[in-house]
Amino acid sequence: MKFSDKIKDLREEKGLSQMGLANATGISQSAIARWELGKSEPTASALITLSKFFGESVDYILGLED
């Protein structure tokens, strides 16, 4: 599964909108939207923030492991 799909699935599993995820993590809603559309990729620091927030490894979030 691609990062764009994984991040959207994780967000929806938590019942969050893009803005809700943005508010919870301090990452901009526009960045989250671009990731979900596959138009950009997160920085290393954003990946760490997402990993801590979702309680998943960076490899899992990137779709490198199931």
Side-chain angles (χ1 to χ4, degrees):
M1 180 179 277
K2 297 184 301 183
F3 169 76
S4 57
D5 298 324
K6 184 72 75 174
I7 194 67
K8 184 175 182 179
D9 286 350
L10 287 168
R11 176 179 62 76
E12 290 177 345
E13 284 174 14
K14 289 239 183 214
L16 293 171
S17 64
Q18 289 179 350
M19 185 55 75
L21 179 58
N23 290 335
T25 61
I27 297 169
S28 73
Q29 183 273 328
S30 61
I32 295 165
R34 286 191 307 273
W35 299 340
E36 290 186 4
L37 291 171
K39 295 188 178 225
S40 69
E41 295 181 354
T43 62
S45 62
L47 281 170
I48 292 167
T49 298
L50 293 169
S51 175
K52 289 179 180 177
F53 179 77
F54 289 116
E56 299 287 355
S57 71
V58 170
D59 283 351
Y60 178 80
I61 292 172
L62 289 173
L64 300 175
E65 64 181 36
D66 292 331

